[in-house]
Coordinates of all heavy atoms in Angstrom, one line a residue:
M30 N 118.0 91.1 34.3 CA 118.6 91.5 35.6 C 119.4 90.3 36.2 O 118.9 89.2 36.2 CB 117.5 92.0 36.5 CG 118.0 92.6 37.8 SD 116.7 92.9 38.9 CE 116.8 94.5 39.2
N31 N 120.5 90.6 36.8 CA 121.3 89.5 37.4 C 120.6 89.2 38.8 O 120.4 90.0 39.6 CB 122.7 90.0 37.7 CG 123.5 89.9 36.4 OD1 123.2 89.3 35.5 ND2 124.6 90.6 36.5
E32 N 120.3 87.9 38.9 CA 119.8 87.4 40.2 C 121.0 86.8 41.0 O 121.8 86.1 40.4 CB 118.7 86.4 39.9 CG 117.5 87.0 39.4 CD 116.3 86.0 39.3 OE1 116.3 85.1 40.2 OE2 115.5 86.1 38.4
K33 N 121.0 87.0 42.3 CA 122.0 86.5 43.1 C 121.8 85.0 43.2 O 120.7 84.5 43.4 CB 121.9 87.1 44.5 CG 122.8 88.3 44.7 CD 122.9 88.6 46.2 CE 124.2 89.3 46.4 NZ 124.3 89.6 47.8
K34 N 122.9 84.2 43.2 CA 122.9 82.8 43.4 C 122.8 82.5 44.9 O 123.3 83.3 45.7 CB 124.2 82.2 42.9 CG 124.3 82.1 41.4 CD 125.5 81.4 41.0 CE 125.7 81.3 39.5 NZ 126.8 80.6 39.1
E35 N 122.1 81.4 45.2 CA 122.0 81.0 46.6 C 123.3 80.6 47.1 O 124.1 79.9 46.4 CB 121.0 79.9 46.7 CG 120.7 79.5 48.1 CD 119.6 78.5 48.2 OE1 118.7 78.5 47.4 OE2 119.7 77.7 49.2
R36 N 123.7 81.0 48.3 CA 125.0 80.6 48.8 C 125.0 79.1 49.1 O 124.1 78.6 49.7 CB 125.2 81.4 50.1 CG 126.6 81.2 50.7 CD 126.8 82.0 51.9 NE 128.1 81.8 52.5 CZ 129.1 82.7 52.4 NH1 128.9 83.8 51.9 NH2 130.3 82.4 52.9
R37 N 126.1 78.5 48.7 CA 126.3 77.0 48.9 C 127.4 76.8 49.8 O 128.3 77.6 50.0 CB 126.6 76.4 47.5 CG 125.5 76.6 46.5 CD 125.9 76.0 45.2 NE 127.0 76.8 44.6 CZ 127.7 76.5 43.5 NH1 127.5 75.3 42.9 NH2 128.6 77.2 43.1
T38 N 127.3 75.6 50.4 CA 128.4 75.2 51.3 C 129.0 73.9 50.8 O 128.2 73.1 50.2 CB 128.0 75.0 52.8 OG1 126.9 74.1 52.8 CG2 127.6 76.3 53.4
F39 N 130.3 73.6 50.9 CA 130.9 72.4 50.4 C 131.6 71.7 51.5 O 132.2 72.3 52.4 CB 131.9 72.8 49.3 CG 131.3 73.6 48.2 CD1 131.5 74.9 48.0 CD2 130.5 73.0 47.2 CE1 131.0 75.7 47.0 CE2 129.9 73.7 46.2 CZ 130.2 75.0 46.1
S40 N 131.5 70.4 51.5 CA 132.2 69.6 52.5 C 133.7 69.6 52.3 O 134.2 69.9 51.2 CB 131.7 68.1 52.5 OG 132.2 67.5 51.3
E41 N 134.4 69.3 53.4 CA 135.9 69.3 53.3 C 136.3 68.3 52.2 O 137.2 68.5 51.4 CB 136.5 68.9 54.6 CG 138.0 68.9 54.7 CD 138.7 70.2 54.6 OE1 138.1 71.3 54.8 OE2 139.9 70.2 54.2
D42 N 135.6 67.1 52.2 CA 136.0 66.1 51.2 C 135.8 66.6 49.7 O 136.6 66.4 48.9 CB 135.1 64.8 51.4 CG 135.5 64.0 52.6 OD1 136.6 64.2 53.1 OD2 134.6 63.3 53.1
F43 N 134.7 67.3 49.5 CA 134.5 67.9 48.2 C 135.6 68.8 47.8 O 136.1 68.8 46.7 CB 133.1 68.5 48.1 CG 132.8 69.2 46.8 CD1 132.4 68.5 45.7 CD2 133.0 70.6 46.7 CE1 132.2 69.1 44.5 CE2 132.7 71.2 45.5 CZ 132.3 70.5 44.3
R44 N 135.9 69.7 48.7 CA 137.0 70.7 48.5 C 138.3 70.0 48.2 O 139.0 70.4 47.3 CB 137.1 71.6 49.7 CG 135.9 72.5 49.9 CD 136.0 73.2 51.3 NE 134.8 73.9 51.6 CZ 134.7 74.8 52.5 NH1 135.7 75.2 53.2 NH2 133.5 75.4 52.7
Q45 N 138.6 69.0 48.9 CA 139.9 68.2 48.7 C 139.8 67.6 47.3 O 140.8 67.6 46.6 CB 140.0 67.1 49.7 CG 140.3 67.6 51.1 CD 141.7 68.1 51.4 OE1 142.6 67.8 50.7 NE2 141.9 68.7 52.5
Q46 N 138.7 67.0 46.9 CA 138.6 66.4 45.6 C 138.7 67.4 44.4 O 139.4 67.1 43.4 CB 137.2 65.7 45.5 CG 137.1 64.5 46.3 CD 135.7 63.9 46.3 OE1 134.8 64.4 45.7 NE2 135.5 62.8 47.1
I47 N 138.2 68.6 44.6 CA 138.3 69.6 43.6 C 139.8 70.0 43.4 O 140.2 70.1 42.3 CB 137.5 70.9 44.0 CG1 136.0 70.6 44.0 CG2 137.8 72.1 43.1 CD1 135.4 70.2 42.6
V48 N 140.5 70.2 44.5 CA 141.9 70.5 44.4 C 142.7 69.4 43.8 O 143.6 69.6 43.0 CB 142.4 71.0 45.7 CG1 144.0 71.2 45.7 CG2 141.7 72.3 46.2
Q49 N 142.3 68.2 44.2 CA 143.0 67.0 43.6 C 142.9 66.9 42.1 O 143.8 66.6 41.4 CB 142.5 65.7 44.3 CG 143.3 64.5 43.9 CD 142.8 63.3 44.7 OE1 141.7 63.2 45.2 NE2 143.6 62.3 44.8
L50 N 141.7 67.3 41.6 CA 141.5 67.3 40.1 C 142.4 68.3 39.5 O 143.0 68.0 38.4 CB 140.0 67.7 39.8 CG 138.9 66.7 40.1 CD1 137.6 67.3 39.9 CD2 139.1 65.5 39.1
Y51 N 142.6 69.5 40.1 CA 143.5 70.5 39.6 C 144.9 70.0 39.6 O 145.7 70.1 38.7 CB 143.4 71.8 40.4 CG 144.4 72.8 40.0 CD1 144.3 73.5 38.8 CD2 145.5 73.0 40.8 CE1 145.3 74.4 38.5 CE2 146.5 73.9 40.5 CZ 146.4 74.6 39.3 OH 147.3 75.5 39.0
N52 N 145.3 69.4 40.7 CA 146.7 68.9 40.9 C 147.1 67.8 39.9 O 148.2 67.6 39.6 CB 146.9 68.4 42.3 CG 147.0 69.6 43.3 OD1 147.2 70.7 43.0 ND2 146.7 69.3 44.6
I53 N 146.1 67.0 39.4 CA 146.4 66.0 38.5 C 146.3 66.4 37.0 O 146.5 65.6 36.1 CB 145.6 64.7 38.7 CG1 144.1 65.0 38.5 CG2 145.9 64.1 40.1 CD1 143.2 63.7 38.6
G54 N 146.0 67.7 36.8 CA 146.0 68.3 35.5 C 144.8 68.9 34.9 O 144.8 69.4 33.8
K55 N 143.7 68.8 35.5 CA 142.5 69.4 35.0 C 142.6 70.9 35.1 O 143.1 71.4 36.1 CB 141.2 68.9 35.8 CG 139.9 69.1 35.0 CD 138.8 68.2 35.6 CE 137.7 68.2 34.6 NZ 136.7 67.3 35.0
T56 N 142.2 71.7 34.1 CA 142.3 73.1 34.2 C 141.3 73.7 35.1 O 140.3 73.2 35.4 CB 142.2 73.7 32.8 OG1 140.8 73.6 32.3 CG2 143.1 73.1 31.8
K57 N 141.7 74.9 35.6 CA 140.8 75.7 36.4 C 139.5 76.0 35.7 O 138.4 75.9 36.3 CB 141.4 77.0 36.9 CG 142.6 76.8 37.9 CD 143.2 78.1 38.2 CE 144.4 78.0 39.1 NZ 145.0 79.3 39.5
T58 N 139.6 76.3 34.5 CA 138.4 76.6 33.7 C 137.4 75.4 33.6 O 136.2 75.6 33.8 CB 138.7 77.1 32.3 OG1 139.6 78.2 32.4 CG2 137.5 77.5 31.4
E59 N 138.0 74.3 33.3 CA 137.2 73.0 33.3 C 136.5 72.7 34.6 O 135.3 72.4 34.6 CB 138.0 71.8 32.9 CG 138.5 71.9 31.5 CD 139.5 70.7 31.2 OE1 140.3 70.4 32.1 OE2 139.5 70.3 30.1
I60 N 137.2 72.9 35.7 CA 136.7 72.6 37.0 C 135.6 73.6 37.3 O 134.5 73.2 37.8 CB 137.8 72.6 38.1 CG1 138.8 71.5 37.8 CG2 137.2 72.5 39.5 CD1 140.1 71.6 38.7
C61 N 135.8 74.9 37.1 CA 134.8 75.9 37.4 C 133.5 75.7 36.6 O 132.4 75.8 37.1 CB 135.4 77.3 37.1 SG 136.6 77.8 38.3
R62 N 133.7 75.3 35.4 CA 132.5 75.1 34.5 C 131.7 73.8 35.0 O 130.5 73.9 35.1 CB 132.9 75.0 33.1 CG 133.2 76.3 32.4 CD 133.5 76.1 30.9 NE 133.8 77.4 30.4 CZ 134.6 77.5 29.3 NH1 135.1 76.5 28.7 NH2 134.9 78.7 28.9
E63 N 132.5 72.8 35.2 CA 131.8 71.5 35.6 C 131.1 71.6 36.9 O 130.0 71.0 37.0 CB 132.9 70.4 35.6 CG 132.3 69.0 35.8 CD 133.3 67.9 35.7 OE1 134.4 68.1 35.0 OE2 133.1 66.8 36.2
Y64 N 131.7 72.3 37.9 CA 131.1 72.3 39.2 C 130.4 73.6 39.5 O 130.0 73.9 40.7 CB 132.1 72.0 40.2 CG 132.6 70.5 40.1 CD1 133.8 70.2 39.4 CD2 131.9 69.5 40.6 CE1 134.2 68.9 39.2 CE2 132.3 68.2 40.5 CZ 133.5 67.9 39.8 OH 133.9 66.6 39.6
D65 N 130.3 74.5 38.5 CA 129.7 75.8 38.7 C 130.3 76.6 39.9 O 129.6 77.0 40.8 CB 128.2 75.7 38.9 CG 127.5 77.0 38.8 OD1 128.0 77.9 38.1 OD2 126.4 77.2 39.4
L66 N 131.6 76.7 39.9 CA 132.4 77.4 40.9 C 132.9 78.7 40.4 O 133.3 78.9 39.3 CB 133.6 76.6 41.4 CG 133.2 75.2 42.0 CD1 134.5 74.4 42.2 CD2 132.4 75.3 43.2
A67 N 133.0 79.7 41.3 CA 133.7 81.0 41.0 C 135.2 80.7 41.0 O 135.8 80.0 41.8 CB 133.4 82.0 42.1
P68 N 135.9 81.3 40.0 CA 137.3 81.1 39.9 C 138.1 81.5 41.1 O 139.1 80.9 41.5 CB 137.7 82.0 38.7 CG 136.5 82.1 37.9 CD 135.3 82.1 38.9
S69 N 137.6 82.6 41.8 CA 138.3 83.1 43.0 C 138.2 82.0 44.2 O 139.1 81.8 44.9 CB 137.7 84.4 43.5 OG 136.3 84.2 43.8
L70 N 137.0 81.3 44.2 CA 136.9 80.2 45.2 C 137.9 79.1 44.9 O 138.6 78.6 45.8 CB 135.5 79.7 45.2 CG 135.3 78.4 46.1 CD1 135.6 78.7 47.5 CD2 133.9 77.8 45.9
L71 N 138.0 78.7 43.7 CA 138.9 77.7 43.3 C 140.4 78.1 43.6 O 141.1 77.3 44.2 CB 138.8 77.3 41.9 CG 139.6 76.1 41.4 CD1 139.4 74.9 42.2 CD2 139.4 75.9 39.9
D72 N 140.7 79.3 43.3 CA 142.1 79.8 43.6 C 142.4 79.7 45.1 O 143.4 79.3 45.5 CB 142.3 81.2 43.1 CG 142.4 81.3 41.6 OD1 142.7 80.3 40.9 OD2 142.1 82.4 41.1
R73 N 141.4 80.1 45.9 CA 141.6 80.1 47.3 C 141.7 78.7 47.9 O 142.6 78.4 48.7 CB 140.4 80.9 48.0 CG 140.5 81.2 49.4 CD 139.5 82.2 49.9 NE 138.1 81.8 49.6 CZ 137.3 82.4 48.8 NH1 137.7 83.5 48.2 NH2 136.1 82.0 48.6
L74 N 140.9 77.8 47.4 CA 141.0 76.4 47.8 C 142.3 75.8 47.5 O 142.9 75.1 48.3 CB 139.8 75.6 47.2 CG 138.4 75.9 47.7 CD1 137.4 75.0 47.0 CD2 138.3 75.6 49.2
I75 N 142.8 76.0 46.2 CA 144.0 75.5 45.8 C 145.2 76.0 46.7 O 146.0 75.2 47.1 CB 144.3 75.8 44.3 CG1 143.3 75.1 43.4 CG2 145.7 75.5 43.9 CD1 143.3 75.5 42.0
K76 N 145.2 77.3 46.9 CA 146.2 77.8 47.8 C 146.2 77.3 49.2 O 147.2 76.9 49.7 CB 146.1 79.4 47.8 CG 147.2 80.1 48.6 CD 147.0 81.6 48.5 CE 148.1 82.2 49.3 NZ 147.9 83.7 49.3
R77 N 145.0 77.3 49.8 CA 144.9 76.8 51.2 C 145.3 75.3 51.3 O 146.0 74.9 52.2 CB 143.5 77.0 51.7 CG 143.2 78.4 52.0 CD 141.8 78.6 52.6 NE 141.5 80.0 52.8 CZ 140.3 80.4 53.1 NH1 139.3 79.6 53.2 NH2 140.1 81.7 53.3
I78 N 144.7 74.5 50.5 CA 144.9 73.0 50.6 C 146.3 72.7 50.2 O 146.9 71.8 50.9 CB 143.8 72.3 49.8 CG1 142.4 72.5 50.4 CG2 144.2 70.8 49.7 CD1 141.3 71.9 49.6
N79 N 146.9 73.2 49.2 CA 148.2 72.9 48.8 C 149.3 73.4 49.8 O 150.4 72.9 49.9 CB 148.5 73.3 47.4 CG 147.9 72.5 46.4 OD1 147.5 71.3 46.6 ND2 147.7 73.0 45.2
T80 N 148.9 74.4 50.6 CA 149.8 75.0 51.6 C 149.7 74.3 52.9 O 150.7 73.9 53.5 CB 149.5 76.5 51.8 OG1 149.6 77.2 50.5 CG2 150.5 77.1 52.8
T81 N 148.5 74.0 53.4 CA 148.3 73.5 54.7 C 147.7 72.1 54.8 O 147.7 71.5 55.8 CB 147.5 74.4 55.6 OG1 146.1 74.4 55.0 CG2 148.0 75.8 55.6
G82 N 147.1 71.7 53.7 CA 146.4 70.4 53.7 C 144.9 70.5 54.1 O 144.2 69.6 54.2
S83 N 144.5 71.8 54.4 CA 143.1 72.0 54.9 C 142.5 73.2 54.2 O 143.2 74.2 53.9 CB 143.1 72.2 56.4 OG 141.8 72.6 56.8
A84 N 141.2 73.1 53.9 CA 140.5 74.3 53.3 C 140.0 75.2 54.3 O 139.5 76.3 54.0 CB 139.4 73.8 52.4
K85 N 140.1 74.9 55.6 CA 139.5 75.7 56.7 C 140.5 76.8 57.0 O 141.6 76.7 57.2 CB 139.3 74.9 57.9 CG 138.2 73.8 57.7 CD 138.0 73.0 59.0 CE 136.9 71.9 58.7 NZ 136.7 71.1 59.9
E86 N 139.9 78.1 57.0 CA 140.7 79.2 57.2 C 141.4 79.2 58.5 O 142.5 79.6 58.7 CB 139.8 80.5 57.0 CG 140.6 81.8 57.1 CD 139.8 83.0 56.7 OE1 138.6 82.8 56.6 OE2 140.4 84.1 56.6
C87 N 140.7 78.8 59.6 CA 141.3 78.8 60.9 C 142.5 77.9 61.0 O 143.5 78.2 61.7 CB 140.2 78.4 62.0 SG 139.6 76.8 61.9
N88 N 142.5 76.8 60.3 CA 143.7 75.9 60.3 C 144.8 76.6 59.6 O 146.0 76.4 60.0 CB 143.4 74.6 59.6 CG 142.4 73.7 60.3 OD1 142.1 74.0 61.5 ND2 141.9 72.7 59.7
N89 N 144.6 77.4 58.6 CA 145.7 78.1 57.9 C 146.3 79.2 58.8 O 147.5 79.4 58.7 CB 145.1 78.7 56.6 CG 144.6 77.6 55.7 OD1 145.2 76.5 55.7 ND2 143.6 77.9 55.0
I90 N 145.5 79.9 59.5 CA 146.0 80.9 60.4 C 146.9 80.3 61.5 O 147.9 80.8 61.8 CB 144.8 81.7 61.0 CG1 144.2 82.6 60.0 CG2 145.3 82.6 62.2 CD1 142.9 83.2 60.4
C91 N 146.4 79.2 62.0 CA 147.2 78.5 63.1 C 148.6 78.0 62.5 O 149.5 78.0 63.3 CB 146.4 77.3 63.6 SG 145.0 77.8 64.6
M92 N 148.6 77.7 61.3 CA 149.9 77.2 60.7 C 150.8 78.4 60.5 O 152.1 78.2 60.5 CB 149.6 76.6 59.3 CG 148.8 75.3 59.3 SD 149.6 73.9 60.1 CE 150.8 73.6 58.8
L93 N 150.3 79.6 60.3 CA 151.2 80.8 60.1 C 151.8 81.4 61.3 O 152.9 81.9 61.3 CB 150.4 81.9 59.4 CG 149.9 81.5 58.0 CD1 149.0 82.6 57.4 CD2 151.0 81.3 57.0
F94 N 151.1 81.3 62.5 CA 151.6 81.9 63.7 C 151.8 80.9 64.8 O 151.0 80.1 65.1 CB 150.5 82.9 64.2 CG 150.2 84.0 63.2 CD1 149.0 84.1 62.6 CD2 151.2 85.0 62.9 CE1 148.7 85.1 61.6 CE2 150.9 86.0 61.9 CZ 149.7 86.0 61.3
P95 N 153.0 81.0 65.4 CA 153.3 80.1 66.5 C 152.5 80.5 67.7 O 152.4 81.7 68.0 CB 154.8 80.3 66.7 CG 155.1 81.6 66.1 CD 154.2 81.8 65.0
I96 N 151.9 79.6 68.4 CA 151.1 79.9 69.6 C 151.8 79.1 70.8 O 152.1 77.9 70.7 CB 149.7 79.4 69.4 CG1 149.1 80.2 68.2 CG2 148.9 79.6 70.7 CD1 147.7 79.9 67.9
C97 N 152.0 79.8 71.9 CA 152.6 79.2 73.0 C 151.6 78.2 73.7 O 150.4 78.1 73.3 CB 153.1 80.2 74.0 SG 151.8 81.1 74.9
Q98 N 152.0 77.5 74.7 CA 151.2 76.5 75.3 C 149.9 77.1 75.9 O 148.9 76.4 76.1 CB 152.0 75.7 76.4 CG 153.0 74.8 75.8 CD 153.8 74.1 76.8 OE1 153.7 74.4 78.0 NE2 154.5 73.1 76.4
S99 N 150.0 78.3 76.3 CA 148.8 78.9 76.9 C 147.8 79.5 75.8 O 146.8 80.1 76.1 CB 149.2 80.1 77.8 OG 149.7 81.1 77.1
N100 N 148.1 79.1 74.6 CA 147.3 79.6 73.4 C 147.2 81.1 73.3 O 146.2 81.6 72.8 CB 145.9 79.0 73.5 CG 145.9 77.5 73.3 OD1 146.7 77.0 72.6 ND2 144.9 76.8 73.8
T101 N 148.3 81.7 73.7 CA 148.4 83.2 73.6 C 149.4 83.5 72.5 O 150.5 83.0 72.5 CB 148.8 83.8 74.9 OG1 147.9 83.4 75.9 CG2 148.8 85.3 74.8
L102 N 149.0 84.3 71.6 CA 150.0 84.8 70.6 C 150.6 86.1 71.0 O 149.8 87.1 71.2 CB 149.2 84.9 69.2 CG 150.0 85.4 68.0 CD1 151.1 84.3 67.7 CD2 149.1 85.6 66.9
Y103 N 151.9 86.1 71.1 CA 152.5 87.4 71.5 C 153.0 88.1 70.2 O 153.4 87.5 69.2 CB 153.7 87.0 72.4 CG 153.3 86.4 73.7 CD1 153.3 85.0 73.9 CD2 152.8 87.2 74.7 CE1 152.9 84.5 75.0 CE2 152.3 86.6 75.9 CZ 152.4 85.3 76.1 OH 152.0 84.7 77.2
L104 N 153.0 89.4 70.3 CA 153.4 90.3 69.2 C 154.8 89.9 68.6 O 155.0 90.0 67.5 CB 153.3 91.7 69.5 CG 151.8 92.2 69.7 CD1 151.8 93.7 70.1 CD2 151.0 92.0 68.5
D105 N 155.7 89.6 69.5 CA 157.1 89.4 69.1 C 157.2 88.0 68.4 O 158.2 87.7 67.8 CB 158.1 89.5 70.2 CG 157.8 88.4 71.3 OD1 156.7 87.9 71.4 OD2 158.7 88.1 72.1
E106 N 156.1 87.2 68.4 CA 156.2 85.9 67.7 C 155.6 85.9 66.3 O 155.7 85.0 65.6 CB 155.3 84.9 68.5 CG 155.9 84.6 69.9 CD 155.0 83.6 70.7 OE1 153.8 83.7 70.6 OE2 155.5 82.8 71.4
I107 N 155.0 87.1 66.0 CA 154.4 87.2 64.6 C 155.6 87.5 63.7 O 156.3 88.5 63.8 CB 153.4 88.3 64.6 CG1 152.2 88.0 65.5 CG2 152.8 88.5 63.2 CD1 151.2 89.1 65.7
P108 N 155.7 86.7 62.6 CA 156.8 87.0 61.6 C 156.5 88.3 60.9 O 155.4 88.6 60.6 CB 156.7 85.8 60.7 CG 155.4 85.1 61.0 CD 154.9 85.5 62.3
A109 N 157.6 88.9 60.6 CA 157.5 90.2 59.8 C 157.2 89.9 58.4 O 157.6 88.9 57.8 CB 158.9 90.9 59.9
P110 N 156.4 90.8 57.7 CA 156.0 90.6 56.3 C 157.2 90.7 55.4 O 158.2 91.2 55.6 CB 155.0 91.7 56.0 CG 155.0 92.6 57.2 CD 155.8 92.0 58.3

């Protein structure tokens, strides 16, 4: 029977290092095996860090939507898909 793995948390530094390994040429398969990571997690980290420089989701959202000085996001400021 499949037992659920215990949920782990990773520091921002660790996440940055993992993506750096990928960026210098290590394959996703090698990284996932070596660090026991799910491929979907690695894909998400690579996309977030290479796009915004941060693995934190809230930082990525802030990069996508312009926010006025009052920290209010208006509907007309959201870019169309």
Side-chain angles (χ1 to χ4, degrees):
M30 186 190 237
N31 284 341
E32 291 188 30
K33 267 191 152 180
K34 289 185 179 181
E35 186 175 328
R36 187 178 180 108
R37 299 175 291 170
T38 58
F39 304 105
S40 70
E41 180 72 17
D42 288 337
F43 176 79
R44 294 171 187 194
Q45 294 279 348
Q46 290 172 359
I47 293 296
V48 173
Q49 189 174 22
L50 287 173
Y51 172 76
N52 288 340
I53 62 172
K55 199 162 195 174
T56 67
K57 290 179 183 179
T58 303
E59 290 173 326
I60 295 169
C61 289
R62 284 184 183 152
E63 186 173 338
Y64 295 96
D65 191 29
L66 300 174
S69 59
L70 170 63
L71 182 57
D72 288 339
R73 193 167 50 246
L74 290 176
I75 290 168
K76 182 178 179 182
R77 285 182 184 169
I78 290 173
N79 285 340
T80 302
T81 67
S83 174
K85 295 181 181 177
E86 188 172 5
C87 64
N88 290 349
N89 298 325
I90 291 171
C91 293
M92 296 290 287
L93 295 175
F94 300 111
I96 298 178
C97 71
Q98 289 182 346
S99 66
N100 291 331
T101 303
L102 180 64
Y103 296 100
L104 291 177
D105 62 338
E106 295 175 326
I107 298 175

